[in-house]
Amino acid sequence: MTRGPSPDRRSLPGLLRTASGIVVFGASDDPSKAGGRPIRYLRQYGFTGRIFPVNPRRDTVQGLPAVAGLDDVPVVPDIAVIALPAARVAETVRDCGARGIPLAIVFSSGLAEIGGAGAALQDELVRAAAETGIRVLGPNTVGAVSVDNSVMATFMTALDQDRFALKDDGIAFVSQSGALGGFILNLAHSTGVGIGTFVNTGNEADLGIAEIIEDLVALDSTRVILAYIEGIRDGRRFERALAAARERDVPVIVLKVGRSARGAQAAASHTGALAGSDDVFEGVLRRHNVLRANTVEEMLDLGRVMASRKRRPHGRRVSILTLSGGAGALMTDYAEKLGLDVFAWTDEWRSRMAEILPSFASTANPIDTTGAVASDQQMFIDSVGIALANPDTDLAVVLLGNLEAEEDLLCEGLTAAAAGSDKPLIVTWVGGSGRPLTALWEAGIPAYGDPARAMLAAAALADWAGGARPTPGGSADEPAGDAVSADEIIRARTRGRKFLDEVDGKALVARAGVPVVPEIVAHDADAAVRAADELGHPVVVKLLSDRLPHKSELGAVRVGLASAGETRTAASELLDLARSHDLADAALVVQPSLRNDVELILGMSKDPAFGPITLVGIGGVFAELDPDVQIRPAPVSPREARAMIDALRGLPVLQGARGRTPADLDALARVVGDFSRFSAGLADAADSVEVNPLLIGHDGAPVAVDALVVLADAPEDRLREDRPVRTDP
Amino acid sequence: MTRGPSPDRRSLPGLLRTASGIVVFGASDDPSKAGGRPIRYLRQYGFTGRIFPVNPRRDTVQGLPAVAGLDDVPVVPDIAVIALPAARVAETVRDCGARGIPLAIVFSSGLAEIGGAGAALQDELVRAAAETGIRVLGPNTVGAVSVDNSVMATFMTALDQDRFALKDDGIAFVSQSGALGGFILNLAHSTGVGIGTFVNTGNEADLGIAEIIEDLVALDSTRVILAYIEGIRDGRRFERALAAARERDVPVIVLKVGRSARGAQAAASHTGALAGSDDVFEGVLRRHNVLRANTVEEMLDLGRVMASRKRRPHGRRVSILTLSGGAGALMTDYAEKLGLDVFAWTDEWRSRMAEILPSFASTANPIDTTGAVASDQQMFIDSVGIALANPDTDLAVVLLGNLEAEEDLLCEGLTAAAAGSDKPLIVTWVGGSGRPLTALWEAGIPAYGDPARAMLAAAALADWAGGARPTPGGSADEPAGDAVSADEIIRARTRGRKFLDEVDGKALVARAGVPVVPEIVAHDADAAVRAADELGHPVVVKLLSDRLPHKSELGAVRVGLASAGETRTAASELLDLARSHDLADAALVVQPSLRNDVELILGMSKDPAFGPITLVGIGGVFAELDPDVQIRPAPVSPREARAMIDALRGLPVLQGARGRTPADLDALARVVGDFSRFSAGLADAADSVEVNPLLIGHDGAPVAVDALVVLADAPEDRLREDRPVRTDP
């Protein structure tokens, strides 16, 4: 497979795969020291290039001739490994850069991760790299590995054993954790998962995880990328990398910490990076069809199945074959939960299956071939062949167990059946010797010892194939929308306000094309009654103030006012309330009551890594307890907005479940898209915009009933910062 | 540990553990046949009792002297294994029973599971057992195993290998699937999980899974019970067994199929049993503090940790120690998701930890001891000791990885640290040789290769300890409530109705003590307006008919009527609607509008296995999409009702989140309890009762606004059936 222009030989993955000369600073004769291990590993795993240990105090290092300094290295190495004290790193990197070495891998710790003087040393390092053009991995990295050509530029103990031969199945693994990354690499190889490229990013002083993923995608040999992530610094670049991966059919599987509040806090205190919202991260993964693993085991399972040859089922219709009816039901549970379709077989294909199975077998999907497989393996193999031949089948999952005496025959048969079809076949083999798992993987058939793991792999194949066609949205070629003329914002800020009042807020979002409810501002009870008469009862009356962002909590919203008398009473009470809360300048706003079968929420806020984001979700009472929202970095196109709406759990309600008026989902998607572009353009002036509720009117079109705009600091303050997007204080 | 009176020696588990003589009908000289395998396994695994192969055509069977028939067996065996054609089973069971053999294990298939003639043969078998007093496991069972005394009364191929020595860790496994059960048994032993007793229940013609669990609980040697369940036939007995298990501190871990609709359907077609609702099953598990596993792997993981010595943390506060900050964040995510408390360490204990850790370590829980463990193992061990000594710690979870050269030292140290504390210590060791996992388990320390699995085990310990104190409810000693004088039901039935109308329905539930909304029945628009004036606007007007169970779908409910004019219009329109739908006898019911910050639903319906059940949950728009309900078999006590309410996701709303009126949760629990007892008593007359919505009034007390009672068939029909509870048609 060719992916267009060949990758930059000077990219980190490119250099790992082609390096022929490696210089090691801080080279140690002790093969258990950080400066000794890379030399030992390079030789132990058969690196065929040249190794230059730098050690001015020795003639040899681990039997290799030592050099006193870079000047004594006769060629320009591809990689400099630096295992020196922190204070000497920047100077060494500068020398390497000046010499023309393209890449330094810096093991040294005691830099930015300890703050203070360390951070200053890292700044120096960054300058040295920028000024000489050398790229830097780390500092504070355990290093990088390329199995194919035995480039072991690492000191991690994961390689400190010889139980297994490393292999390269086209799986690359980028980890923001050195320790856990090393454990996982070791676990992967001892369980047959061939991670051929490993990179630990360390402090990311220069090379970050986004760029490394981007460069890995460009390598023809990369079939799948695993990423262990603690925090993303450059969200937009990360998105570019994921977009490139999808474009080039390279699945990315992410294990990210910080799903829980406490976990996010722990990750932030560990990495020193601001933790973005996990919901935003999840939206980014959805946008780019990235698979998210929940556990280490899942990441390896999914990586392995994605590296297998047949990873493109044409749909989600799965045929399940077992030799136990109970196991079939169990696997059906898993399949349904994962959104696979355990479809009903046609009578014709059930008949074909019935011809070869025992009379007491069940030919309804899940198919129970019965225990007869113990005495007749060919029958079982033939049934798998029929399942794959059935044109309704997109992929087949079979369950076996034990059967040690028959395992060779069954593995051969399954291999032949799989070879006769272009559809994925996934095997669960519970118990037994374990040898079938190895044999089937070697034959290119994904095989697992647990039914749940097998079905998760099957669903991942369908997820990848189903989402691999990009649904563009938020891409750079979208029109950015009109520039914002934020009169309301300027006016409010000159009054020293932190928020826009409701009327100004809705005026602002109305400019984005969001329909807003009719309303009349009143300054006393008489005016409120006149307004209600004009709008028609029942009405809603609220306090209007730009110093009262959360009206409901103060009881400043009165709904369902059915008559002039009720309206008058409510208006008077609200004005009393305002006076008692030092809001004497508050007015009233009167609106007609709208039906509210379903409340939506539409918002913009800012993420430290991904900048302005767009949120759409179900609002109302339970939104606060069990949120049903979709979030993407802004802007989103109307098409992506529609995909966000379709992903809401509350979609059936929007579609008109139980006699409700169906929402016009295309109109809603247009509103979301327009709001997204517009509010992204507001990001310098406003920290957040929340339209809540956005109701569905009688005609199915969305109507904004309230809006809260939280202003950013004054633009003149902002101009002094050079970051395009600032963080919520 | 003594559990009172010793178990019935004639129980199946008792007999398995004490059998000294086993007779095998259909004994085969071929050790691979179903009639040959038990003989082979008994000898291979060292059974020390006597084996009597019955085979009239041979002198010897697998080298043992054969007998021609039961008459030639010199003693009364404890167990008869029957591997004969279906037609000969009943007669053989009868002979065995007559001879005084207490237990028959019937491998034969072709009985009830094939229906028709097979079902008749099974009926004969049941009669033979009942008449002679012999108990029967099966038919259609792969048999049973007791490792301790090598009773291998089975033909399953799981034993057909010699890779591992079977061991008994006090773990019993009851499986309704023979094939999958055998696979899991094999997997368990090859991964070190010592299942000492295995029973496959087969067709459950006599002995069912509930009785077997009950009998296992009575055995002192049982430390934990695993159950693979496809369908429960006798729900009440199953509940008794689970209650006994909790009473005697024997954790039960269940893997049950049928969580999804398709999976339940597959299970039902496989077992031939009616599948009860999985929600009811889940409620039963909650009531009795049963742990539910989602996967085979989880069932074995939880079984193993529950069989370990320290399974009683005093709370849910977990200290996490890792040598990688990222891994600590990952484990914190898992802990939080599972409801464990990654609590903040006090300054005092952080100082103690800081004294021994490197300066750049993090002493905030999760604690990052840093990679210094590679050079200083004692430091890490000491940190574990401090974590266990911290009085705030209920249990500790540590993560290590690789470190092959140091693994012996670390395992010894961890063992010593664990021995010095009565708190559970759980270890995750990712990668490396795998030997530490074995060594730690042998030392009584649960150890896993994946952080997620370790944390799941930790949470299971806390779940079991926290819920092991029974919260009685639904027990037989509850007063059954007043007998139901169901005038409304009798009246409606005489009119040929399937439902009670709303007014009669609420009159019925009012008798249970459920407060109901004031209401006035009106037969024309004038009367409706008068009623509205009396009740006070705004009002709700609905059609009243016992032929219109779902009013909303027809648009037969008008809410928020603010004036006489609106009420008159609505009333007229509703009566027109009734005429156009052939409901000319419908009346109107007028009620005051109530505020509805939150809607509840309260109901009774019937489960095929567990009989009448009580449901309480959050109602309203989203209940239909994302149900938030708790279900238990009726009756529930007010105390259990409170536990159900506390388990709702919407609890914060009921508690008054965001300025709502807090519900009186004790009053609500009393109403649920009263309704539960009352409606359980209605179970012969009504198939279901649904109070929907049950609103929370201004005083925080619940008020029923609507009720739907679905009538059962006439009692005279019912009396012809002898089952106490019938199934929904």
Side-chain angles (χ1 to χ4, degrees), chain B residues 109-448:
Chain B
S109 59
L111 289 105
E113 81 278 7
I114 64 163
L121 290 174
Q122 185 160 319
D123 288 344
E124 235 183 285
L125 160 65
V126 170
R127 273 194 301 276
E131 285 165 19
T132 60
I134 190 173
R135 301 305 302 271
V136 175
L137 179 69
N140 193 23
T141 174
V142 301
V145 164
S146 173
V147 166
D148 184 55
N149 55 337
S150 303
V151 170
M152 304 289 166
T154 179
F155 68 96
M156 67 182 159
T157 56
L159 301 182
D160 201 5
Q161 41 73 71
D162 51 8
R163 278 173 296 108
F164 43 75
L166 297 174
K167 61 173 180 160
D168 183 354
D169 291 336
I171 305 174
F173 176 31
V174 194
S175 176
Q176 286 187 325
S177 168
L180 191 58
F183 303 161
I184 294 172
L185 181 70
N186 186 297
L187 178 66
H189 281 285
S190 62
T191 53
V193 182
I195 293 176
T197 306
F198 169 83
V199 182
N200 167 226
T201 59
N203 288 1
E204 301 193 8
D206 175 23
L207 286 163
I209 194 164
E211 185 173 354
I212 292 167
I213 290 175
E214 218 170 347
D215 289 340
L216 282 166
V217 167
L219 276 188
D220 284 354
S221 57
T222 307
R223 293 183 59 78
V224 51
I225 297 170
L226 312 182
Y228 172 83
I229 295 178
E230 296 177 348
I232 291 297
R233 286 168 174 81
D234 183 347
R236 297 286 156 163
R237 181 150 205 178
F238 184 63
E239 284 212 69
R240 272 212 307 281
L242 299 182
R246 175 153 72 170
E247 182 66 30
R248 296 191 174 200
D249 196 27
V250 177
V252 178
I253 294 148
V254 164
L255 176 64
K256 176 180 168 285
V257 303
R259 277 203 154 158
S260 69
R262 288 273 304 163
Q265 191 185 327
S269 80
H270 173 56
T271 62
L274 274 168
S277 147
D278 196 74
D279 290 334
V280 176
F281 190 81
E282 187 76 31
V284 168
L285 300 191
R286 276 185 180 250
R287 169 177 280 171
H288 300 287
N289 196 32
V290 173
L291 302 172
R292 185 165 189 177
N294 293 302
T295 69
V296 169
E297 186 179 87
E298 267 183 40
M299 179 170 72
L300 296 180
D301 278 0
L302 298 190
R304 201 172 188 191
V305 77
M306 284 296 155
S308 67
R309 283 195 292 276
K310 292 177 190 169
R311 65 176 189 217
R312 290 213 161 278
H314 291 108
R316 306 186 70 84
R317 291 165 304 176
V318 62
S319 287
I320 299 173
L321 285 95
T322 71
L323 30 70
S324 147
L330 186 66
M331 299 194 83
T332 299
D333 279 345
Y334 298 143
E336 293 270 305
K337 190 175 173 198
L338 294 163
L340 293 171
D341 180 10
V342 187
F343 67 100
W345 276 40
T346 61
D347 288 345
E348 181 199 340
W349 282 89
R350 287 184 67 166
S351 303
R352 289 205 203 181
M353 190 62 98
E355 276 169 28
I356 64 158
L357 293 186
S359 62
F360 51 97
S362 166
T363 59
N365 194 15
I367 292 155
D368 176 6
T369 64
T370 80
V373 60
S375 54
D376 185 353
Q377 291 78 50
Q378 192 54 46
M379 176 274 293
F380 186 79
I381 299 304
D382 290 345
S383 75
V384 174
I386 292 173
L388 289 168
N390 183 338
D392 291 340
T393 300
D394 292 318
L395 68 172
V397 180
V398 309
L399 179 136
L400 292 157
N402 296 349
L403 291 167
E404 293 191 42
E406 295 79 20
E407 63 190 27
D408 290 343
L409 249 171
L410 283 164
C411 287
E412 282 165 29
L414 288 167
T415 303
S421 170
D422 60 354
K423 299 171 185 174
L425 170 67
I426 295 182
V427 174
T428 316
W429 200 304
V430 186
S433 72
R435 286 186 301 268
L437 300 184
T438 309
L440 291 167
W441 275 112
E442 277 169 11
I445 300 173
Y448 300 88

Side-chain angles (χ1 to χ4, degrees), chain A residues 542-553:
Chain A
K542 313 182 227 181
L543 274 187
L544 180 67
S545 165
D546 55 10
R547 291 187 292 136
L548 183 60
H550 302 294
K551 293 182 283 284
S552 296
E553 290 176 9

Side-chain angles (χ1 to χ4, degrees), chain A residues 15 115 155 206 209 363 378 458 472 562 569 633 643 660 693:
Chain A
L15 284 164
F155 67 96
D206 174 23
I209 194 164
T363 59
Q378 193 55 44
T569 307
R660 298 185 186 85

